Amino acid sequence: MSLAQRLHANETIITAWSGVPDALTVEILAGQGFDAVTLDMQHGGHNEDSVLRSIAPVLRAGKHSLVRVPVGRFDMASRALDFGAEAVIAPMVNSVEDAQRFAAAMKYPPLGERSWGPTYAAPRHGSKDPVKWLQESNARTVSFAMVETHAAVAALDGILATPGIDGIFLGPGDFSIAWTKGDTVNGTLEGMMETVAAVAGRTRAAGKHAGIYVTDPRIAGRFVDMGFQLLATGSEHQLISSGAANLLSELRKSLA
């Protein structure tokens, strides 16, 4: 099943979050138990070349490939899809105009303005029929507009109503900064959880998908109860730190 099909089936998808721009590292990450791998170009180190090279090992591992593009780089959204990504997350979509520009880059006509050229995507997904690929692409590719600001929440209904926008991805770090007017960054801030839940509820009520970055795995179930389906977590830094701490703890217990 494609990522879009699994989301439509109301499955919970857990994606690792890759910021190291190295295909070999991504290959190791894709070999773990995650459902998907997201390549981060915004705050992570991924660039156009690393995205092109890193999608291949993700797909070989039978996992879904997502890309978060830099702010305003809707041209890279089209590139990511041409490289074989199934979904693109666009940060700081704060208005209907932003959503329209993002959707235009994500979808082929007549829904959008995406240019034709799946040089890598079609063969990487085993497609040899260009017409079928064209006809199925708009439904198969998933566009997540990030909600991170008060402006985005205010424009949420319009963003959700924009043709070609498939879902919302909430960035809790920036959301907490906006919520506290720059006083703190805390992705689990209790005071904003009612609004976080409302964003998920409005998104699902509109028939769209809801995703969120999970900074504390202990509250993942709470996010799913709110309506979030795509849960992102597990950066290389986090996984190496956690794995090293666990390994060293066991070693030191044995040495004691």
Side-chain angles (χ1 to χ4, degrees):
M1 294 175 69
S2 68
L3 175 63
Q5 288 171 329
R6 294 183 68 181
L7 290 170
H8 281 301
N10 203 33
E11 289 191 35
T12 298
I13 305 296
I14 301 174
T15 178
W17 199 265
S18 172
V20 177
D22 176 72
L24 294 176
T25 304
V26 173
E27 181 179 5
I28 295 170
L29 192 58
Q32 309 312 308
F34 298 97
D35 302 301
V37 176
T38 299
L39 309 174
D40 185 15
M41 300 181 72
Q42 183 192 10
H43 297 306
H46 278 286
N47 53 63
E48 193 168 344
D49 182 69
S50 72
V51 168
L52 171 61
R53 297 179 186 279
S54 296
I55 286 175
V58 175
L59 298 180
R60 278 200 305 270
K63 306 299 175 67
H64 304 294
S65 179
L66 300 85
V67 175
R68 180 167 73 170
V69 297
V71 176
R73 285 296 307 274
F74 302 130
D75 61 313
M76 190 59 222
S78 296
R79 293 283 280 161
L81 297 180
D82 285 344
F83 294 163
E86 289 186 68
V88 174
I89 301 170
M92 292 293 173
V93 176
N94 293 324
S95 66
V96 172
E97 181 183 2
D98 289 343
Q100 290 171 337
R101 291 174 57 215
F102 177 39
M106 287 289 294
K107 305 297 182 180
Y108 288 122
L111 184 56
E113 301 172 1
R114 181 183 169 194
S115 177
W116 175 255
T119 307
Y120 290 93
R124 282 179 169 180
H125 286 278
S127 174
K128 297 181 180 180
D129 185 338
V131 174
K132 184 179 180 182
W133 181 263
L134 172 64
Q135 292 173 345
E136 295 179 350
S137 284
N138 283 352
R140 185 181 57 251
T141 55
V142 185
S143 54
F144 282 102
M146 287 196 75
V147 168
E148 308 174 84
T149 65
H150 290 297
V153 174
L156 182 59
D157 290 340
I159 293 170
L160 289 168
T162 301
I165 295 298
D166 301 305
I168 294 298
F169 189 94
L170 195 141
D174 279 302
F175 200 80
S176 70
I177 293 172
W179 184 269
T180 63
K181 298 180 180 179
D183 283 345
T184 190
V185 53
N186 180 358
T188 64
L189 192 67
E190 186 59 39
M192 69 183 190
M193 286 300 164
E194 183 177 349
T195 303
V196 170
V199 169
R202 290 163 66 185
T203 299
R204 297 302 299 277
K208 305 297 177 75
H209 311 304
I212 192 168
Y213 195 96
V214 180
T215 57
D216 184 345
R218 293 171 296 183
I219 64 170
R222 185 177 179 186
F223 286 140
V224 171
D225 290 341
M226 291 177 182
F228 290 102
Q229 300 168 267
L230 178 68
L231 306 179
T233 191
S235 68
E236 292 99 339
H237 291 80
Q238 178 185 5
L239 293 171
I240 291 172
S241 176
S242 176
N246 289 336
L247 178 62
L248 288 170
S249 175
E250 293 302 315
L251 281 169
R252 284 168 179 152
K253 285 179 184 178
S254 178
L255 293 175

